Amino acid sequence: MKNKVLLIGGFHKATALANSLINRGYSVTIINENYADCMSLAENNQLKVIHGDGSKPYVLDDAEAYENEIAIALTQHDEDNLVICQLCKKKFGIKKTVSLVNDPKKTDFFHKMGIDSVVCAINTITGIIEQQAFMDEMATVLPIGQGNISIAEVPILQSAPSVGKKIWEIDLPKEVIIGCILRGESSMVPRGDTRLLSGDILVLISSKENHISAIRELTGR
């Protein structure tokens, strides 16, 4: 039987993370309160998609949250993510909860409130920038679980060596996946023959060991 993961909120991050998890053999359910986003997500027939506010117990119940081993809260609001994780653990008995936080000052509080893994994108970005000076190239890095998976949103500048290349032409490690391309107002799940354009934003999924080298290969820095 497949391990089950519940993702709540965060359309682009949830889409990319779901693709990665499905490729690794997980069964994934996504809760999203935006109906248009749900319709887009539902185009992937390997996903179970629930429309609703994931901070509401009845929505989590509809999503059969109690059947999942991991819950990951990805909304833009720290307070919602805290409520979601506490409901998932205390009411629905989910063993492991992961929360995204936007305010680094809240990280310790979230841990004290029983959240198993707390990911602060700002702290992670700062560390990467200090080490690699990727200010323009990297907007967000999100380590998942024990930190062995990272999601990075990587803007492709006009000067990047990957501009104009098809994905299969780029020398990326096998452990790296371009889960989604944000292009203008639209998003797409790329194929090997998808050509990268200046201005694209790539949602890059990789192992912790490979994400810096992959970004360097894509951006030239």
Side-chain angles (χ1 to χ4, degrees), residues 24-210:
R24 287 167 169 78
Y26 287 87
S27 175
V28 180
T29 298
I30 293 181
I31 299 175
N32 192 297
E33 60 181 340
N34 183 292
Y35 183 77
D37 287 348
C38 286
M39 294 300 292
S40 178
L41 290 163
E43 293 178 4
N44 184 342
N45 58 18
Q46 293 182 283
L47 281 176
K48 179 180 178 181
V49 181
I50 302 295
H51 176 232
D53 180 351
S55 65
K56 305 298 184 185
Y58 68 88
V59 175
L60 291 168
D61 194 38
D62 287 345
E64 299 179 321
Y66 49 83
E67 292 189 350
N68 291 267
E69 287 82 22
I70 303 171
I72 304 175
L74 298 167
T75 80
Q76 297 179 357
H77 305 291
D78 293 347
E79 294 78 8
D80 288 346
N81 289 340
L82 178 60
V83 169
I84 289 165
C85 287
Q86 288 188 314
L87 281 171
C88 285
K89 183 173 285 289
K90 295 179 180 180
K91 183 175 177 64
F92 293 95
I94 295 178
K95 294 180 180 178
K96 184 174 181 62
T97 55
V98 181
S99 176
L100 178 69
V101 296
N102 296 291
D103 183 351
K105 296 178 182 178
K106 296 178 181 177
T107 301
D108 289 342
F109 175 71
F110 272 51
H111 280 301
K112 290 177 181 178
M113 295 301 292
I115 311 306
D116 297 298
S117 296
V118 182
V119 179
C120 179
I122 293 174
N123 283 345
T124 309
I125 294 165
T126 301
I128 294 295
I129 288 170
E130 288 174 350
Q131 295 172 33
Q132 299 296 328
F134 285 161
M135 178 68 82
D136 295 330
E137 287 75 14
M138 183 178 296
T140 306
V141 177
L142 174 61
I144 297 299
Q146 298 301 317
N148 60 337
I149 299 174
S150 291
I151 297 177
E153 293 182 5
V154 183
I156 301 300
L157 305 181
Q158 189 172 2
S159 59
S162 59
V163 170
K165 289 186 178 180
K166 295 180 180 179
I167 289 176
W168 67 264
E169 296 176 314
I170 303 169
D171 187 21
L172 292 174
K174 292 182 179 180
E175 295 81 4
V176 174
I177 298 171
I178 299 176
C180 182
I181 297 178
L182 313 180
R183 182 171 291 168
E185 297 298 319
S186 63
S187 62
M188 69 181 77
V189 177
R191 304 163 64 97
D193 60 355
T194 300
R195 196 178 299 275
L196 299 186
L197 304 178
S198 174
D200 284 349
I201 299 177
L202 311 184
V203 180
L204 195 72
I205 306 164
S206 66
S207 64
K208 184 177 179 181
E209 294 77 15
N210 287 307

